[in-house]
Amino acid sequence: MFVEFVRGLATTFKQIFEEPVTAPYPEVKRPVAARFKGRHELKRYDNGLEKCIGCALCAAACPADAIFVEAAENTDAVRFSPGERYASTYEINMLRCIFCGYCADACPTEAIVLESNYELSFTNRDSSIYTKDMLIVPVLPGGEPTPQKAPPGKFGRAIPDMKDPE
Amino acid sequence: MADNVTLTIDGARVTVPKGTLIVDAAKRLGNDIPVFCYHPKLQPVGMCRMCLVEVGRVQRDRASGQVIVDENGQPRVVMAPKLETACTTPVEEGMVVIGASGRVKEARDDILEFLLTSHPLDCPVCDKGGECPLQNLTIAHGPGQSRFIFEEKFRLAKQLPLGELIYLDRERCIQCARCIRFQNDIVDDRVLSFYERGRHLEIITCSEPGFDSKFSGNTTDICPVGALTTTDFRFEARPWEMNMAASICPHCPVGCNLTLNTRREARSGGQMVIKRVMPRQNEQVNEIWVCDKGRFGHHYASSSDRLTRPLVRRDGKLLEAAWEEALELAAGQLKAAGAGLAGLAGGRLSNEDLYNFRQVVTGLGGSAALNTRMGGAEQTQQVGVGLGTNFAEMGPGTAILVVASDLEEEAPIWWLRVKQAAERGATLIVANGRPTKTDRAARYVIRYAYGQEVATVLGMLVTGSSEAAEALARAENSVILFGREGLDFAGSTALAQACANLLIATNHYGRPNNGLVGVWPDANTQGAWDMGLPARGQAVLPVGATASWIVAADPVGDGEISAEALRAAGFVVVQELFLTPTAQAADVVLPAASWVEREGTFTNGERRVQRFYPAITMKGRPDFQIAAEIGARAGLSVSSHAAQIMLAIAENVPAYAGLTYQKLTEVVKQWPEVGGRDLYYGGASYTNRQGLGVQVPSAAERGADITAGKLAAPPPPARNGLTLVPVTVLYDRSTTFVRSQVMHPYVPRPYVELNTADAARLDIQDGDTVTVEAAGVRVTLTARVDGRAPEGVALMPADLGPAVPAVAGPATIQKG
């Protein structure tokens, strides 16, 4: 019986010197999987223009009715996104969202992407509504913030040119 | 029956009237043949080739014309070697149509592939996306993959304004010409056209200003792609995101059926707002059309200057007060006035409002009246158009007389339907003092001098006096539409009586498609009369009034009474949407709910009672409820529920006997089918599921003894110099329309229209500033000299700002 006892303890002591599998969150954040679906981000093009064109197809695809979009018209003097239309209001209710990713699938411009941020906590229902300012990514270096003043006719197309399938 | 034809479509037998097109026959079977250019309200052209089908015809012997039978004794059917367009081919006896074969599928797939070669496929940013026939048919029939090279797609500048209301996107256009054909054939405004040829074909507007038509919005409904969209709805919402509420247009006596699309809006603080107004099918009223005033004139309901809280005058100033306080004060003062209480209501109120208002005012001992400058409703109640009257059924054998009305400006959809009746063969007679657009479709045009309206109609009573009179008298059915151009209350009442006498003398009343129609100034003028509100004629308040209660009327703003005179007549209670000049003179102002925020019914000019429903968040309170609350505080018991008030109306107004809200919601299947799944067939207007309304019988139909009224033709007015005639324009500055910013480019600056000869005599050029003096009115405005005014007549549109005289009369016009 003593032998078994020692063998068991040996296993225990061996584990003490093993690298732990847990991480001391929040000091250490472990990387998420490549296809992880976390909080949404609204993406920008390299020049700073918003990819979102306010088409509301994400809201149409959303099974939880978590997304609310309102669109407005771009002009060359006040341009948010390529083409005629941009999202003047973009809200996601994170309490409603089930992180299915249908919105990203529906997006014709790959503007909305479920990224790796999973740190979502709210103390009231109002703060669960993420507005466009909270969702949109910062402008990359070299880009300009929106609204931009664009040369006439340069960004006339809302949908990026498609290529024939290879 | 010899007039019917039986054929087989995809194995199903159907019997349809001779002359029916294959596409319509298939539709009756529920077999949707895809179409782009075909529209059931337009003549077929066969331009898009989407509706190709295989057609087999019964073979006949060339010599004898006898049907050749096969060995089984059945007629031998020979299939045509090529596919045929179902939209241009009329049915034939024994015809066999195949739409579900491989050949047909291949042809349709190819057509779609061709259509998409130049289409930008920018559905995500397109306002039509979601209710787009091209989208639907691409999913149902398309090949899925295109063999064309993407880089060779058409690239043109995106939205191109055709006018202030409609944008064209030429890339999206599939060149079906529905818009051009609608403008040419249906509304006779030839303002759109094709330009260039082949792949470069594009739609252009050939009018100045662009797309100058009062019906332009309808082209966006029937456009099978997103090529035509409205500026008002641009990027406002996606079609699937909006709610629907049935409504009735509040702008004119036609009573077009509407569907209001609503949605919550962030910039309005999360309120429900009207995003767009769409026509709702009612083949007996507006078919599937609506004019631009109805479509774009809804903005007053969501205007930021709406009254939302009651106002009470304290120390000479109107200050916000609680409802309870304002109602108590109003009720106390109105009750104290007793017989001195003068009630005045406007014709834009619903039947329920007007009924409750009259109940409370008369219950308190006062007198209630309608604020109108037009009379004649007693005559329309007597010999108004019969039950089942439908302009769409009028054709050969029907005579229509339009007198003293510029129908297109006063009731556009009636103009449309009268014009179409004339094209089908009805005899249209137009009597007016000046040329109007209605003349174009008329067989007889009677031109009278202003002041001779009644004499002209009475002259038609004399047998054989004119060809027009003869045509009207001999016609199987006759309808008279009378207006008020150049007439005051007494004049229009006399004109209505003259018209009624003419109908009685020729026995054209009390039957369908016969009778009298008033082209009223407001949506519910007829209903107001029916609810028992008489008009006071020219006087706003009766002699001896000690308190007034004014609802949905602005006599001060209209220049009918001065604010001082109104205040001198005691305590003033005003129920309004806005702080109008009348409301500014009030002691208590009660904020009313607009028509889109509450329930109610309007009675249109054809005396059809139609129901409208709440669509958006209520501001203020419904007028019928305010009346009931004032009544309750004054010790009267009247209902404050719309449906109950309708029951009371049905009990107390003989013509409305038996009416209930349930009856008003009854619908029957209408042809052509619109809305629903088959958007490509009838366009985007809505199917009517909320009620076609109920026409109420005239006194003649309820068995009353109808006799002609005594009437003497007034003496011809002395003609010295210019006669100034107040006329109506559709796009005016009235309280309920001026708040539609989108329409402002079409609202003219105040002007007076002069004949070229008169202008030359007065040394006035087109565009000059002139001063007009007539009947105590002195205004400075712009002169227009464009040949539309007859000699000796100056036309001055009402409701453009400056006050106009109530009746045609002498005027002096000077330059400067």
Side-chain angles (χ1 to χ4, degrees), chain B residues 157-170 203-205 210-211 228-229 231 746:
Chain B
K158 292 303 273 186
Q159 87 279 14
L160 183 81
L162 280 184
E164 299 290 339
L165 298 172
I166 309 291
Y167 276 132
L168 167 68
D169 190 316
R170 290 165 296 173
I203 306 283
I204 55 159
T205 174
F211 210 163
L228 296 175
T229 51
T231 53
Y746 290 96

Short mmCIF file of all heavy atoms in Angstrom, two decimals, chain B residues 157-170 203-205 210-211 228-229 231 746:
data_model
loop_
_atom_site.label_atom_id
_atom_site.label_comp_id
_atom_site.label_asym_id
_atom_site.label_seq_id
_atom_site.Cartn_x
_atom_site.Cartn_y
_atom_site.Cartn_z
N ALA B 157 -21.15 57.90 -64.89
CA ALA B 157 -21.26 58.58 -63.60
C ALA B 157 -22.52 58.09 -62.91
O ALA B 157 -23.52 57.82 -63.56
CB ALA B 157 -21.33 60.08 -63.83
N LYS B 158 -22.45 57.96 -61.60
CA LYS B 158 -23.60 57.41 -60.87
C LYS B 158 -24.76 58.39 -60.93
O LYS B 158 -25.04 58.91 -61.98
CB LYS B 158 -23.20 57.04 -59.44
CG LYS B 158 -22.24 55.89 -59.35
CD LYS B 158 -22.73 54.62 -60.00
CE LYS B 158 -23.57 53.78 -59.08
NZ LYS B 158 -23.92 52.48 -59.71
N GLN B 159 -25.40 58.64 -59.82
CA GLN B 159 -26.72 59.28 -59.88
C GLN B 159 -26.73 60.58 -60.66
O GLN B 159 -25.85 61.42 -60.54
CB GLN B 159 -27.29 59.49 -58.47
CG GLN B 159 -26.90 60.77 -57.77
CD GLN B 159 -25.53 60.66 -57.15
OE1 GLN B 159 -24.77 59.77 -57.44
NE2 GLN B 159 -25.20 61.60 -56.29
N LEU B 160 -27.74 60.69 -61.52
CA LEU B 160 -27.90 61.85 -62.38
C LEU B 160 -29.29 62.40 -62.06
O LEU B 160 -30.27 61.71 -62.25
CB LEU B 160 -27.83 61.37 -63.83
CG LEU B 160 -27.90 62.41 -64.92
CD1 LEU B 160 -26.55 63.05 -65.09
CD2 LEU B 160 -28.33 61.77 -66.23
N PRO B 161 -29.37 63.62 -61.53
CA PRO B 161 -30.71 64.11 -61.21
C PRO B 161 -31.52 64.38 -62.48
O PRO B 161 -31.07 65.10 -63.36
CB PRO B 161 -30.45 65.40 -60.42
CG PRO B 161 -29.04 65.77 -60.69
CD PRO B 161 -28.31 64.56 -61.18
N LEU B 162 -32.70 63.75 -62.56
CA LEU B 162 -33.58 64.02 -63.70
C LEU B 162 -34.43 65.25 -63.41
O LEU B 162 -34.88 65.93 -64.30
CB LEU B 162 -34.49 62.82 -63.96
CG LEU B 162 -33.89 61.65 -64.73
CD1 LEU B 162 -34.96 60.61 -64.98
CD2 LEU B 162 -33.30 62.09 -66.06
N GLY B 163 -34.67 65.47 -62.14
CA GLY B 163 -35.40 66.65 -61.69
C GLY B 163 -34.98 66.81 -60.25
O GLY B 163 -33.96 66.26 -59.84
N GLU B 164 -35.78 67.53 -59.48
CA GLU B 164 -35.43 67.68 -58.07
C GLU B 164 -35.86 66.47 -57.26
O GLU B 164 -35.48 66.33 -56.10
CB GLU B 164 -36.10 68.93 -57.49
CG GLU B 164 -35.69 70.22 -58.18
CD GLU B 164 -34.25 70.60 -57.87
OE1 GLU B 164 -33.71 70.13 -56.87
OE2 GLU B 164 -33.67 71.36 -58.67
N LEU B 165 -36.69 65.62 -57.84
CA LEU B 165 -37.27 64.53 -57.06
C LEU B 165 -36.75 63.15 -57.44
O LEU B 165 -36.82 62.22 -56.66
CB LEU B 165 -38.80 64.53 -57.23
CG LEU B 165 -39.51 65.78 -56.74
CD1 LEU B 165 -40.96 65.75 -57.15
CD2 LEU B 165 -39.39 65.90 -55.23
N ILE B 166 -36.27 63.02 -58.65
CA ILE B 166 -35.92 61.69 -59.17
C ILE B 166 -34.46 61.67 -59.62
O ILE B 166 -34.00 62.55 -60.34
CB ILE B 166 -36.82 61.31 -60.37
CG1 ILE B 166 -38.30 61.50 -60.04
CG2 ILE B 166 -36.52 59.91 -60.85
CD1 ILE B 166 -38.86 60.55 -59.04
N TYR B 167 -33.74 60.63 -59.17
CA TYR B 167 -32.38 60.39 -59.64
C TYR B 167 -32.40 59.26 -60.66
O TYR B 167 -33.12 58.28 -60.49
CB TYR B 167 -31.49 59.94 -58.47
CG TYR B 167 -30.92 61.06 -57.64
CD1 TYR B 167 -30.99 61.01 -56.25
CD2 TYR B 167 -30.27 62.12 -58.23
CE1 TYR B 167 -30.45 62.02 -55.47
CE2 TYR B 167 -29.72 63.12 -57.45
CZ TYR B 167 -29.81 63.07 -56.08
OH TYR B 167 -29.27 64.06 -55.32
N LEU B 168 -31.56 59.40 -61.67
CA LEU B 168 -31.37 58.32 -62.64
C LEU B 168 -29.98 57.74 -62.47
O LEU B 168 -29.01 58.47 -62.34
CB LEU B 168 -31.54 58.87 -64.07
CG LEU B 168 -31.09 57.96 -65.20
CD1 LEU B 168 -32.00 56.75 -65.31
CD2 LEU B 168 -31.08 58.70 -66.53
N ASP B 169 -29.90 56.41 -62.45
CA ASP B 169 -28.61 55.73 -62.50
C ASP B 169 -28.57 54.97 -63.82
O ASP B 169 -29.23 53.95 -63.97
CB ASP B 169 -28.48 54.77 -61.30
CG ASP B 169 -27.07 54.23 -61.19
OD1 ASP B 169 -26.52 53.84 -62.24
OD2 ASP B 169 -26.53 54.17 -60.08
N ARG B 170 -27.82 55.49 -64.78
CA ARG B 170 -27.90 54.95 -66.14
C ARG B 170 -27.31 53.56 -66.26
O ARG B 170 -27.67 52.78 -67.11
CB ARG B 170 -27.19 55.91 -67.11
CG ARG B 170 -27.95 57.20 -67.30
CD ARG B 170 -27.09 58.24 -67.94
NE ARG B 170 -25.98 58.61 -67.08
CZ ARG B 170 -24.99 59.40 -67.46
NH1 ARG B 170 -24.97 59.90 -68.66
NH2 ARG B 170 -24.02 59.71 -66.61
N ILE B 203 -31.82 57.12 -70.74
CA ILE B 203 -33.03 57.90 -70.51
C ILE B 203 -32.61 59.35 -70.29
O ILE B 203 -31.66 59.63 -69.54
CB ILE B 203 -33.74 57.41 -69.23
CG1 ILE B 203 -34.02 55.92 -69.29
CG2 ILE B 203 -35.00 58.23 -68.96
CD1 ILE B 203 -35.16 55.52 -70.14
N ILE B 204 -33.27 60.26 -70.95
CA ILE B 204 -33.01 61.68 -70.69
C ILE B 204 -34.34 62.38 -70.42
O ILE B 204 -35.40 61.86 -70.76
CB ILE B 204 -32.30 62.38 -71.88
CG1 ILE B 204 -33.10 62.18 -73.16
CG2 ILE B 204 -30.88 61.90 -72.02
CD1 ILE B 204 -32.79 63.19 -74.22
N THR B 205 -34.25 63.52 -69.80
CA THR B 205 -35.45 64.33 -69.64
C THR B 205 -35.37 65.46 -70.64
O THR B 205 -34.31 66.03 -70.88
CB THR B 205 -35.59 64.84 -68.20
OG1 THR B 205 -36.71 65.74 -68.16
CG2 THR B 205 -34.35 65.57 -67.71
N GLY B 210 -36.22 69.87 -65.27
CA GLY B 210 -36.16 68.44 -65.58
C GLY B 210 -37.30 67.65 -64.95
O GLY B 210 -37.74 67.96 -63.85
N PHE B 211 -37.73 66.64 -65.67
CA PHE B 211 -38.77 65.72 -65.24
C PHE B 211 -39.96 66.48 -64.65
O PHE B 211 -40.35 66.28 -63.51
CB PHE B 211 -38.23 64.71 -64.22
CG PHE B 211 -38.94 63.38 -64.26
CD1 PHE B 211 -38.39 62.25 -63.67
CD2 PHE B 211 -40.19 63.25 -64.88
CE1 PHE B 211 -39.04 61.02 -63.70
CE2 PHE B 211 -40.84 62.03 -64.93
CZ PHE B 211 -40.27 60.92 -64.33
N LEU B 228 -34.34 54.41 -61.42
CA LEU B 228 -35.02 55.61 -60.98
C LEU B 228 -35.33 55.47 -59.50
O LEU B 228 -35.98 54.52 -59.07
CB LEU B 228 -36.33 55.81 -61.77
CG LEU B 228 -36.18 56.05 -63.27
CD1 LEU B 228 -37.53 56.11 -63.92
CD2 LEU B 228 -35.41 57.33 -63.53
N THR B 229 -34.80 56.42 -58.72
CA THR B 229 -35.07 56.41 -57.28
C THR B 229 -35.43 57.83 -56.88
O THR B 229 -35.08 58.78 -57.57
CB THR B 229 -33.84 55.93 -56.49
OG1 THR B 229 -32.71 56.69 -56.92
CG2 THR B 229 -33.57 54.46 -56.72
N THR B 231 -35.32 61.24 -54.53
CA THR B 231 -34.36 61.92 -53.67
C THR B 231 -34.83 61.90 -52.22
O THR B 231 -34.03 61.91 -51.30
CB THR B 231 -34.17 63.39 -54.11
OG1 THR B 231 -35.46 64.00 -54.16
CG2 THR B 231 -33.54 63.47 -55.46
N TYR B 746 -40.30 73.21 -56.39
CA TYR B 746 -41.46 73.23 -57.27
C TYR B 746 -42.54 74.21 -56.81
O TYR B 746 -43.54 74.40 -57.49
CB TYR B 746 -42.07 71.83 -57.38
CG TYR B 746 -41.19 70.88 -58.14
CD1 TYR B 746 -40.32 70.02 -57.49
CD2 TYR B 746 -41.21 70.87 -59.53
CE1 TYR B 746 -39.48 69.16 -58.19
CE2 TYR B 746 -40.39 70.02 -60.24
CZ TYR B 746 -39.53 69.17 -59.57
OH TYR B 746 -38.71 68.34 -60.28
#
